[in-house]
């Protein structure tokens, strides 16, 4: 029987004096298929503070993107469905939150939140931008959807946003189509579109994966600047630990649909607790590291449709013991503000 993790929100010391803007509690998102049930997210607890960056890391298939899609109510039903849990959006500080799970995905309130108050940047902008419409018209459409402005005001706002994301010749770019822009420019357009309505939360799902190293650094610096300008909170989803070390305040490590470790970026990189986190760090090349040999994590991630007894990482863990295969550990505080789901602790 899978135990329910203690919610991160029960540990206010982990986040100093900042108040949360988003809390995810015991989230379960499943996909019901003829061949079986895919348990993509299995009891996730997360907390995003105001004007902070939460990094979510893990291998492909660990549930990072499905967690983000659940927040945005973009899970296609059927076959997907949020079967349990809460997603609490604290729109106004000091007032009761909105539970996004209770909202109709196609309803007016959710449409206002989606894009207007919580925006998302997807991994590959070429598949997110419509090839049939100019860049300017697509930014303008988002602005007019969420704000009561005239065409002229929307045009001006679109131009201002392209200037904000530091695109060269912004007036000319407004009239161009996505295929006429480079990968870095398309990603800047996506950021401009996401921030055009001053959202309180920006979810960035692998925002730099398709970009070369130089452009990646520029995009990360741009996101840092824009976060300061717009006073927004960022949920940064990535498998790139280098990106997380540069951007995040707190980090959640996910494995097979669950959070297995949570702490400050310093905790995660300098005092990792979970064997999976240790494995991730050892498998990444680091400039100046004495050992030149990378240590991969043995084995494969189990299927998300598999019935797991005990710890999901047991078959790959170098510290596995009998209890690991019999009973699932819960996420608990091991050090102040630092939590891990492991029987070692």
């Amino acid at each position: 029987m899978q135990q329910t993790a203690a919610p991160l929100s029960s540990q206010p010391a982990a986040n100093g004096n900042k108040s949360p803007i988003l809390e995810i509690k015991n989230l379960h998102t499943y996909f019901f298929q003829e061949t079986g049930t895919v348990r993509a997210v299995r009891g996730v607890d997360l907390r995003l503070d105001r004007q902070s960056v939460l990094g979510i890391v893990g291998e492909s298939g660990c549930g990072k993107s499905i967690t983000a899609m659940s927040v945005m109510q973009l899970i296609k039903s059927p076959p997907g469905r949020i079967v349990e849990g809460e997603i609490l959006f604290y729109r106004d500080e000091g007032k009761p939150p909105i539970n996004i799970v209770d909202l109709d995905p196609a309803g007016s309130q959710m449409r206002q939140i989606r894009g207007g108050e919580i925006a998302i940047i997807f991994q590959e902008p070429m598949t997110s931008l419509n090839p049939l419409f100019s860049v300017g018209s697509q930014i303008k459409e988002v602005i007019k959807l969420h704000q009561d402005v005239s065409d002229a005001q929307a045009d001006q706002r679109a131009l201002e946003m392209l200037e904000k994301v530091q695109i060269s010749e912004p007036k000319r770019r407004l009239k161009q189509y996505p295929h006429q822009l480079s990968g870095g420019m398309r990603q800047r357009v996506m950021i401009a579109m996401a921030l055009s309505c001053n959202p309180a939360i920006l979810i960035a799902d692998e925002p730099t994966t398709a970009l070369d190293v130089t452009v990646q650094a520029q995009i990360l610096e741009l996101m840092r600047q824009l976060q300061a300008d717009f006073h927004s909170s960022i949920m940064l989803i990535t498998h790139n630990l280098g990106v997380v070390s540069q951007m995040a305040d707190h980090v959640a490590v996910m494995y097979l649909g669950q959070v297995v470790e949570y702490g400050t970026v310093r905790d995660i990189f300098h005092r990792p607790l979970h064997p999976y986190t240790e494995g991730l760090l050892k498998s990444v090349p680091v400039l100046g590291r004495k050992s030149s040999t990378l240590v991969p994590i043995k084995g494969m991630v189990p299927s998300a449709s598999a019935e797991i007894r005990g710890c999901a990482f047991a078959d790959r863990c170098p510290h596995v013991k009998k209890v690991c295969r019999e009973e699932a550990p819960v996420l608990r505080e091991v050090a102040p503000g630092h939590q891990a789901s492991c029987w070692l602790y």
Side-chain angles (χ1 to χ4, degrees), residues 29-32 75-82:
T29 302
Y30 296 171
F31 292 84
F32 299 92
I75 300 298
K76 187 176 180 181
S77 177
R81 181 160 55 88
I82 297 174

mmCIF file of all heavy atoms in Angstrom, residues 29-32 75-82:
data_model
loop_
_atom_site.group_PDB
_atom_site.id
_atom_site.type_symbol
_atom_site.label_atom_id
_atom_site.label_comp_id
_atom_site.label_asym_id
_atom_site.label_seq_id
_atom_site.Cartn_x
_atom_site.Cartn_y
_atom_site.Cartn_z
ATOM 1 N N THR A 29 -2.420 11.833 -11.046
ATOM 2 C CA THR A 29 -2.921 11.981 -12.407
ATOM 3 C C THR A 29 -2.665 10.687 -13.162
ATOM 4 O O THR A 29 -1.507 10.275 -13.312
ATOM 5 C CB THR A 29 -2.252 13.158 -13.135
ATOM 6 O OG1 THR A 29 -2.471 14.362 -12.390
ATOM 7 C CG2 THR A 29 -2.834 13.332 -14.530
ATOM 8 N N TYR A 30 -3.728 10.032 -13.606
ATOM 9 C CA TYR A 30 -3.625 8.729 -14.263
ATOM 10 C C TYR A 30 -4.145 8.811 -15.691
ATOM 11 O O TYR A 30 -4.964 9.679 -16.039
ATOM 12 C CB TYR A 30 -4.435 7.669 -13.518
ATOM 13 C CG TYR A 30 -3.974 7.355 -12.101
ATOM 14 C CD1 TYR A 30 -4.757 6.552 -11.275
ATOM 15 C CD2 TYR A 30 -2.770 7.854 -11.588
ATOM 16 C CE1 TYR A 30 -4.359 6.241 -9.978
ATOM 17 C CE2 TYR A 30 -2.366 7.557 -10.305
ATOM 18 C CZ TYR A 30 -3.169 6.760 -9.491
ATOM 19 O OH TYR A 30 -2.772 6.464 -8.209
ATOM 20 N N PHE A 31 -3.682 7.846 -16.507
ATOM 21 C CA PHE A 31 -4.183 7.685 -17.869
ATOM 22 C C PHE A 31 -4.739 6.271 -17.982
ATOM 23 O O PHE A 31 -4.008 5.293 -17.807
ATOM 24 C CB PHE A 31 -3.063 7.929 -18.889
ATOM 25 C CG PHE A 31 -2.594 9.354 -18.927
ATOM 26 C CD1 PHE A 31 -1.646 9.811 -18.020
ATOM 27 C CD2 PHE A 31 -3.111 10.245 -19.839
ATOM 28 C CE1 PHE A 31 -1.216 11.129 -18.023
ATOM 29 C CE2 PHE A 31 -2.694 11.577 -19.862
ATOM 30 C CZ PHE A 31 -1.743 12.011 -18.949
ATOM 31 N N PHE A 32 -6.042 6.197 -18.275
ATOM 32 C CA PHE A 32 -6.725 4.906 -18.309
ATOM 33 C C PHE A 32 -6.757 4.396 -19.748
ATOM 34 O O PHE A 32 -7.431 4.973 -20.600
ATOM 35 C CB PHE A 32 -8.138 5.058 -17.736
ATOM 36 C CG PHE A 32 -8.140 5.520 -16.304
ATOM 37 C CD1 PHE A 32 -8.210 6.870 -15.995
ATOM 38 C CD2 PHE A 32 -8.041 4.604 -15.266
ATOM 39 C CE1 PHE A 32 -8.203 7.305 -14.680
ATOM 40 C CE2 PHE A 32 -8.029 5.027 -13.944
ATOM 41 C CZ PHE A 32 -8.099 6.376 -13.648
ATOM 42 N N ILE A 75 -4.788 18.209 -19.146
ATOM 43 C CA ILE A 75 -4.792 16.755 -19.281
ATOM 44 C C ILE A 75 -5.983 16.351 -20.152
ATOM 45 O O ILE A 75 -7.135 16.634 -19.821
ATOM 46 C CB ILE A 75 -4.888 16.070 -17.898
ATOM 47 C CG1 ILE A 75 -3.702 16.469 -17.011
ATOM 48 C CG2 ILE A 75 -4.951 14.554 -18.052
ATOM 49 C CD1 ILE A 75 -2.344 16.069 -17.533
ATOM 50 N N LYS A 76 -5.701 15.700 -21.260
ATOM 51 C CA LYS A 76 -6.768 15.317 -22.194
ATOM 52 C C LYS A 76 -7.581 14.165 -21.615
ATOM 53 O O LYS A 76 -7.046 13.122 -21.260
ATOM 54 C CB LYS A 76 -6.166 14.919 -23.544
ATOM 55 C CG LYS A 76 -7.218 14.668 -24.613
ATOM 56 C CD LYS A 76 -6.579 14.364 -25.953
ATOM 57 C CE LYS A 76 -7.652 14.111 -27.008
ATOM 58 N NZ LYS A 76 -7.063 13.792 -28.337
ATOM 59 N N SER A 77 -8.880 14.375 -21.551
ATOM 60 C CA SER A 77 -9.774 13.358 -21.000
ATOM 61 C C SER A 77 -10.848 12.997 -22.013
ATOM 62 O O SER A 77 -11.562 13.893 -22.496
ATOM 63 C CB SER A 77 -10.428 13.878 -19.721
ATOM 64 O OG SER A 77 -11.352 12.941 -19.195
ATOM 65 N N PRO A 78 -11.058 11.689 -22.318
ATOM 66 C CA PRO A 78 -10.154 10.596 -21.945
ATOM 67 C C PRO A 78 -8.882 10.619 -22.789
ATOM 68 O O PRO A 78 -8.848 11.329 -23.785
ATOM 69 C CB PRO A 78 -11.014 9.360 -22.256
ATOM 70 C CG PRO A 78 -11.934 9.797 -23.373
ATOM 71 C CD PRO A 78 -12.203 11.243 -23.125
ATOM 72 N N PRO A 79 -7.830 9.888 -22.384
ATOM 73 C CA PRO A 79 -7.770 8.882 -21.316
ATOM 74 C C PRO A 79 -7.291 9.416 -19.970
ATOM 75 O O PRO A 79 -7.343 8.712 -18.980
ATOM 76 C CB PRO A 79 -6.768 7.879 -21.870
ATOM 77 C CG PRO A 79 -5.782 8.744 -22.609
ATOM 78 C CD PRO A 79 -6.598 9.869 -23.203
ATOM 79 N N GLY A 80 -6.801 10.692 -19.907
ATOM 80 C CA GLY A 80 -6.203 11.177 -18.673
ATOM 81 C C GLY A 80 -7.207 11.800 -17.722
ATOM 82 O O GLY A 80 -8.257 12.290 -18.138
ATOM 83 N N ARG A 81 -6.844 11.784 -16.432
ATOM 84 C CA ARG A 81 -7.728 12.392 -15.443
ATOM 85 C C ARG A 81 -6.979 12.591 -14.135
ATOM 86 O O ARG A 81 -6.165 11.745 -13.735
ATOM 87 C CB ARG A 81 -8.947 11.491 -15.203
ATOM 88 C CG ARG A 81 -9.953 12.033 -14.215
ATOM 89 C CD ARG A 81 -11.302 11.361 -14.396
ATOM 90 N NE ARG A 81 -11.233 9.914 -14.316
ATOM 91 C CZ ARG A 81 -11.334 9.208 -13.171
ATOM 92 N NH1 ARG A 81 -11.495 9.848 -12.025
ATOM 93 N NH2 ARG A 81 -11.293 7.898 -13.194
ATOM 94 N N ILE A 82 -7.224 13.742 -13.484
ATOM 95 C CA ILE A 82 -6.741 13.935 -12.114
ATOM 96 C C ILE A 82 -7.707 13.168 -11.213
ATOM 97 O O ILE A 82 -8.887 13.507 -11.127
ATOM 98 C CB ILE A 82 -6.718 15.432 -11.737
ATOM 99 C CG1 ILE A 82 -5.730 16.197 -12.632
ATOM 100 C CG2 ILE A 82 -6.336 15.601 -10.266
ATOM 101 C CD1 ILE A 82 -5.756 17.699 -12.432
#
